[in-house]
Amino acid sequence: MSKTIAINIQHLSALMMVAIVSLVSACSSAPARDQSADYESAAPAAAVDDGSNMGSIYRSGYGMSLFLDRRARQVGDIITVTLEEKTDASKSSSTATGKESNISVPTVTLLGRGVTHNGVPILSSGVSSDQDFAGKGTSSQSNSLTGSITVTVSEVLRNGSLRVRGEKWVTINQGEEFIRIKGIVRPEDIGADNAVPSYKVADARITYSGKGALADANSMGWLGRVFQSVLSPF
């Protein structure tokens, strides 16, 4: 009877392991959504020309103001985002507590004399307690990203702010690295060189990653993720 129960437990453990491996394999094999479409360059609006001004100096849809610079302001315009991301965070905590208690009961006397046995008091007692606790923890994190990426204006909001997006791919040997960014830029934050620092981009989504043999070598395999999972019995 006990042997049958042991065999059933082994079968149950094997089934659980197979189920976990299958679940993680299915999750890891699911193709990731390609986000390239979210960062495609926006095409500028087509110029409208009804042909009524052919041959003249002014043509509708091709106007250019003499008092405006070349800073981005319309859909399809190009703007350079200078990546100046640097964050440093640190935290430390320390706690120490202590407690000491002493309780003593004086010797009981009977008829003016202490109660003893063989000369040792038997009705006296005392209790003492001493508690100490010390805890300490530290945490630190640092990130840095510098460079530049040129993006396009995808939308002009009602308040005049510009929604920008773009990506840059670099192929090196057997791997590809890419930078993606999208967010909202105020026209007054754009410099004379048609550039804006990344810390002035609102709702910024900045991604720096890679694909290829090097990126795959730095990724944990599905079997390793199984044993690192909280569902793993090992």
Side-chain angles (χ1 to χ4, degrees):
M1 180 66 179
S2 60
K3 183 177 181 180
T4 303
I5 295 176
I7 294 175
N8 291 335
I9 293 176
Q10 292 179 356
H11 288 173
L12 182 60
S13 301
L15 291 175
M16 291 179 60
M17 189 62 187
V18 171
I20 294 174
V21 171
S22 300
L23 179 61
V24 176
S25 299
C27 295
S28 61
S29 60
R33 187 179 72 89
D34 187 6
Q35 299 180 349
S36 299
D38 298 338
Y39 297 88
E40 290 182 353
S41 301
V48 178
D49 189 355
D50 55 7
S52 59
N53 298 311
M54 294 296 294
S56 62
I57 297 177
Y58 170 79
R59 297 181 61 186
S60 60
Y62 296 89
M64 182 179 65
S65 175
L66 299 177
F67 304 98
L68 295 178
D69 54 22
R70 300 296 296 172
R71 300 181 189 181
R73 62 175 52 87
Q74 297 178 353
V75 175
D77 287 352
I78 294 176
I79 180 174
T80 300
V81 178
T82 304
L83 301 175
E84 300 179 11
E85 297 296 323
K86 184 177 182 180
T87 58
D88 292 292
S90 62
K91 181 180 180 180
S92 63
S93 61
S94 178
T95 304
T97 61
K99 182 178 181 180
E100 183 177 354
S101 302
N102 292 302
I103 301 175
S104 61
V105 179
T107 303
V108 178
T109 60
L110 182 63
L111 300 177
R113 300 180 61 183
V115 181
T116 62
H117 177 68
N118 295 329
V120 179
I122 60 174
L123 295 180
S124 63
S125 62
V127 178
S128 63
S129 174
D130 189 4
Q131 299 178 1
D132 293 311
F133 171 79
K136 185 178 181 180
T138 59
S139 175
S140 61
Q141 183 175 356
S142 177
N143 298 283
S144 178
L145 178 63
T146 58
S148 62
I149 177 175
T150 301
V151 298
T152 58
V153 178
S154 62
E155 181 183 359
V156 180
L157 304 181
R158 296 181 62 181
N159 62 352
S161 297
L162 310 176
R163 191 183 301 276
V164 298
R165 67 186 185 190
E167 61 180 355
K168 177 170 67 175
W169 287 77
V170 179
T171 302
I172 303 176
N173 294 334
Q174 299 182 14
E176 292 181 319
E177 295 184 355
F178 63 88
I179 302 176
R180 289 171 173 170
I181 182 173
K182 62 181 178 180
I184 300 175
V185 176
R186 296 190 308 170
E188 53 267 31
D189 291 334
I190 303 175
D193 56 349
N194 200 38
V196 61
S198 59
Y199 58 81
K200 289 188 177 182
V201 179
D203 297 335
R205 294 288 301 272
I206 303 174
T207 303
Y208 176 63
S209 186
K211 295 182 178 180
L214 295 179
D216 294 340
N218 289 326
S219 300
M220 182 181 296
W222 64 268
L223 185 58
R225 292 197 296 270
V226 169
F227 291 105
Q228 292 291 336
S229 173
V230 296
L231 299 178
S232 176
F234 304 101

